[in-house]
Each structure stands twice: as C-alpha cells, then as structure tokens.
Amino acid sequence: MIVTDSEKRISDICARWRVEGLSVGFVPTMGALHRGHLSLVEIAAASSDRVVVSIFVNPTQFGQGEDLDWYPRTLEEDCSSVESAGASAVFAPRADTVYPDDFSTGVHVTGISEGLCGAARPGHFDGVITVCAVLFGIVKPDLAVFGMKDAQQLAVIRRMVSDLRMGIEIVAAPVVRESDGLAMSSRNQYLSVEEREQACLISAGLEKALSLFRTGERNCEVLQKEFLAALKDAPLLRVQYVETVDPDTMLGVERVDKQVLLAVAVFAGKTRLIDNILIWSEV
Ligand code: PAF
C-alpha cells in the first residue's frame, strides 16, 4: 500500500489508475480509525478497483475551544488497518499542503448545513465541505463513501457534489455500533468509565423512539420525548439537541408520513456525541 503526504504523488497515482481503466473509490477521514471507518473502506473496495483513504485532521472544521489540539493522531495503526480493509493508498497531507498560504476559497451549502450540528457548531460544515472539495479535486474519485452516523454531513456533501456537478457517486454506509449500541466514534475514547456506561442510553433511546413509532405513534414530538425519557436517569448526559428532520433537506418534520431522521447530539461529560436513527418501516 502506498502512503504519501504528497499531493502530486497521490494525484499522479490516481490519474494513472484512471488511464489504466481502474475505478477509484475514496474514503476521507481524520484518522483515529475504528471499525466504522474500516467498514467505509470495505464498502469502497467492494465497488471500486482502487481505494484511497485520506487521513487529515482538518483544522477548519473545529470551532474555538473544540478538540483540535488533542484529537487522537494514530497514523501508523491507521495505515495498517486500512490496508487490511482493502485500501490501495493513504494520502496523509500536511496542513500547508491542503491550505497553502494563498488559499482563499470556502464552500458553503445553505439550508441543509444550518440547523442541527450546523447551528451548534457554526462554520463546521463550511470547513468539512471545503476540505472535501479540495480532496475530491486531488483524488478525482469515481465514488466516495461517508457514514450515516454523520447524516447531516452526508446530506451536505451530496448537495455540494450535485450542485457543483462534481460527478462523484456518494455512497452512504450504515452506522457501526459497539455491542451495547453506542455508535462508533473516534471521540468515544475520551469517555470516562461512568460516561461510557451512560452513553449507551443514547442508542437505546433512539431504538425506543423507533419502537414507539412501530406501535403506531406518528407525532414527532412524542417520539422525541420518548428519546429524552430514556436518558432521564443518566446525570452525566446532557442533550444538546433532539430533532426529527427530513434526511435529505434536514428541515424539521412534525409527523412521520415518510422516512424521518431522528437526530441527536448529547454531551457525555465534555465529549459531544451524535447519533441518529431512520424512523420508518416498509410494512
Ligand atoms: O467525517 C470526517 O471524519 C470528516 O468530517 C471528513 C469528512 C473527513 C472531513 O474532514
């Protein structure tokens, strides 16, 4: 597997693959990889001839006082795990490669990026999609895989790729969970033992809301309250938001008449965790 921090090298390699008729799948990450990330690499590998994984802790998507400085950096372990998952190359650029001194462009998607995490973390999605636009421009993938755990990020990226006619297929990968239901996240390692014990109530609460929907409840406020009730005996958890939205537009929904995303952000101590579940049934 190729590991490089050189923009020219990775773009030359990808260009050569394309000339050889090989399709290129792409998985952008910030490293500190867990099984959730590896599932993205496996999905990319199943539908592309070559897979590039980028590892870059993107400073522009962190707000003031967030965890940029102590975000875990584990490049060596990350490289060996993505190689086993089917990656052909890792691109781990330096910050001044991605953002040279004269870098002057920012991408902003209106609407979809402004509620939920966008409201809680102003500027976050501008940083995410700008770095994705830069990385897409370097790798020029045929497809890119993003996790459903970051459902708003996925929706914002889909919108950008469609609006800017980037010609990249965006593939959504299911949320990967620990055995007790906690959604996998690089930030789970910040949790104390007590916070970790209580954090599993987040997914339990989402499941309870889905079960209530399955018994016939269609009122979104009642479903949100069902989620909140599951957290009532968890003093270390603090809900930042619980919202029911259309999964494509991220606009609020009051009744479940079609697929709805129940999306939450919850602090466990100082660690901010997000999770979501699709409320719908085919029957
Ligand atoms: O989901 C992430 O890890 C990041 O937001 C991404 C997409 C790699 C952009 O930095």
Side-chain angles (χ1 to χ4, degrees):
M1 188 183 69
I2 298 146
V3 179
T4 183
D5 65 358
S6 159
E7 171 177 342
K8 177 164 172 18
R9 178 139 191 252
I10 197 70
S11 75
D12 285 353
I13 289 164
C14 293
R16 198 184 66 219
W17 285 334
R18 280 190 300 276
V19 167
E20 290 168 3
L22 301 172
S23 61
V24 179
F26 181 43
V27 181
T29 80
M30 298 206 299
L33 303 181
H34 48 68
R35 274 197 292 118
H37 293 110
L38 301 184
S39 76
L40 309 184
V41 179
E42 285 160 4
I43 289 169
S47 34
S48 335
D49 298 312
R50 296 287 181 271
V51 176
V52 177
V53 177
S54 65
I55 298 180
F56 177 61
V57 182
N58 174 35
T60 64
Q61 69 187 76
F62 289 78
Q64 264 197 341
E66 291 188 346
D67 53 346
L68 173 62
D69 291 339
W70 62 92
Y71 197 86
R73 285 149 171 98
T74 54
L75 184 61
E76 245 175 69
E77 294 98 297
D78 291 347
C79 287
S80 58
S81 54
V82 296
E83 182 168 21
S84 320
S88 312
V90 166
F91 175 46
R94 293 161 41 113
D96 56 5
T97 300
V98 177
Y99 300 115
D101 280 346
D102 56 353
F103 189 91
S104 318
T105 298
V107 188
H108 178 74
V109 171
T110 53
I112 304 176
S113 72
E114 283 156 14
L116 309 173
C117 292
R121 304 179 69 190
H124 169 68
F125 287 116
D126 292 355
V128 169
I129 57 173
T130 300
V131 80
C132 285
V134 171
L135 295 168
F136 289 165
I138 295 170
V139 174
K140 300 188 177 59
D142 297 286
L143 71 82
V145 187
F146 291 87
M148 265 297 292
K149 183 175 87 75
D150 298 292
Q152 189 176 15
Q153 168 172 285
L154 173 69
V156 172
I157 286 167
R158 277 195 199 289
R159 188 78 259 157
M160 170 184 74
V161 166
S162 165
D163 286 351
L164 300 184
R165 278 69 160 183
M166 289 179 157
I168 301 166
E169 183 190 347
I170 301 298
V171 177
V175 182
V176 177
R177 298 182 179 281
E178 303 284 357
S179 55
D180 64 359
L182 179 66
M184 293 218 172
S185 163
S186 306
R187 292 188 167 103
N188 289 352
Q189 57 190 281
Y190 300 156
L191 300 172
S192 69
V193 174
E194 295 77 15
E195 289 162 357
R196 176 67 189 76
E197 273 168 20
Q198 296 185 15
C200 68
L201 293 172
I202 300 169
S203 59
L206 293 172
E207 286 292 342
K208 282 185 72 186
L210 178 61
S211 302
L212 188 61
F213 163 78
R214 288 189 172 141
T215 65
E217 183 58 63
R218 294 292 178 267
N219 182 323
C220 289
E221 202 182 325
V222 177
L223 298 176
Q224 291 175 15
K225 283 191 177 140
E226 185 73 0
F227 169 78
L228 291 170
L231 271 56
K232 72 175 183 336
D233 295 324
L236 300 177
L237 302 185
R238 181 172 60 81
V239 176
Q240 185 180 46
Y241 67 71
V242 46
E243 293 198 35
T244 35
V245 296
D246 176 298
D248 298 320
T249 64
M250 296 289 140
L251 292 175
V253 172
E254 285 171 13
R255 274 193 69 76
V256 192
D257 297 321
K258 59 179 183 127
Q259 206 175 57
V260 162
L261 187 78
L262 176 58
V264 302
V266 177
F267 280 95
K270 289 199 166 88
T271 305
R272 184 175 179 279
L273 303 171
I274 58 171
D275 202 347
N276 64 71
I277 199 163
L278 280 170
I279 305 279
W280 192 236
S281 79
E282 299 307 324
V283 286

Coordinates of all heavy atoms in Angstrom, one line a residue, residues 28-30 56 58 61 128 131-132 146 150 153, ligand 1:
P28 N -12.6 9.8 2.8 CA -11.9 10.8 3.6 C -12.1 10.6 5.1 O -13.2 10.3 5.5 CB -12.6 12.1 3.1 CG -13.8 11.7 2.3 CD -13.9 10.2 2.2
T29 N -11.0 10.7 5.8 CA -11.1 10.5 7.3 C -10.2 11.5 8.0 O -9.4 12.2 7.4 CB -10.7 9.1 7.7 OG1 -9.2 9.1 7.8 CG2 -11.2 8.0 6.8
M30 N -10.4 11.6 9.3 CA -9.5 12.4 10.1 C -8.6 11.4 11.0 O -8.0 11.9 11.9 CB -10.2 13.3 11.0 CG -11.1 14.3 10.2 SD -11.4 15.9 11.1 CE -12.3 15.3 12.5
F56 N -6.5 13.3 7.5 CA -6.2 14.7 7.7 C -7.1 15.3 8.8 O -8.3 15.3 8.6 CB -6.3 15.4 6.4 CG -6.0 16.9 6.5 CD1 -4.8 17.3 6.9 CD2 -7.0 17.8 6.2 CE1 -4.5 18.7 7.0 CE2 -6.8 19.2 6.3 CZ -5.5 19.6 6.7
N58 N -8.7 18.1 9.9 CA -8.9 19.3 9.2 C -9.2 20.5 10.2 O -10.3 20.5 10.8 CB -10.1 19.1 8.3 CG -10.6 20.3 7.6 OD1 -9.7 21.2 7.3 ND2 -11.9 20.5 7.4
Q61 N -12.6 22.7 10.4 CA -14.0 22.3 10.8 C -14.1 22.2 12.3 O -15.1 21.8 12.8 CB -14.3 20.9 10.2 CG -13.5 19.7 10.7 CD -13.8 18.5 9.8 OE1 -13.4 18.4 8.7 NE2 -14.6 17.6 10.4
V128 N -15.9 21.4 6.6 CA -16.0 20.0 6.1 C -16.1 19.9 4.6 O -15.3 19.2 3.9 CB -17.2 19.3 6.7 CG1 -17.5 17.9 6.0 CG2 -17.0 19.0 8.2
V131 N -12.9 21.2 2.7 CA -11.8 20.2 2.6 C -12.2 19.1 1.7 O -11.3 18.5 1.0 CB -11.3 19.8 4.0 CG1 -12.2 18.7 4.6 CG2 -9.9 19.2 4.0
C132 N -13.4 18.7 1.8 CA -13.8 17.6 0.9 C -13.7 18.0 -0.6 O -13.2 17.2 -1.4 CB -15.3 17.1 1.2 SG -15.3 16.1 2.7
F146 N -19.3 7.8 2.8 CA -19.5 8.6 4.0 C -20.4 7.8 5.0 O -21.4 7.2 4.5 CB -20.0 10.0 3.8 CG -19.1 10.9 3.1 CD1 -19.0 10.8 1.7 CD2 -18.2 11.7 3.8 CE1 -18.0 11.7 1.0 CE2 -17.3 12.5 3.1 CZ -17.2 12.5 1.8
D150 N -22.9 10.5 10.6 CA -22.8 11.9 10.3 C -23.8 12.2 9.2 O -23.4 12.6 8.1 CB -21.4 12.3 9.9 CG -20.4 12.0 11.0 OD1 -20.5 12.7 12.1 OD2 -19.6 11.1 10.9
Q153 N -23.7 15.7 7.6 CA -22.5 15.8 6.8 C -22.8 15.1 5.4 O -22.5 15.7 4.4 CB -21.3 15.2 7.5 CG -20.1 15.0 6.6 CD -18.9 14.5 7.4 OE1 -18.3 15.3 8.1 NE2 -18.5 13.3 7.3
Ligands
PAF1 O1 -16.2 12.7 8.9 C1 -15.0 13.1 9.0 O2 -14.1 12.4 9.5 C2 -14.6 14.5 8.5 O3 -15.6 15.4 8.7 C3 -14.2 14.5 7.0 C4 -15.3 14.1 6.1 C5 -13.0 13.5 6.8 C6 -13.7 15.9 6.6 O4 -12.6 16.3 7.3

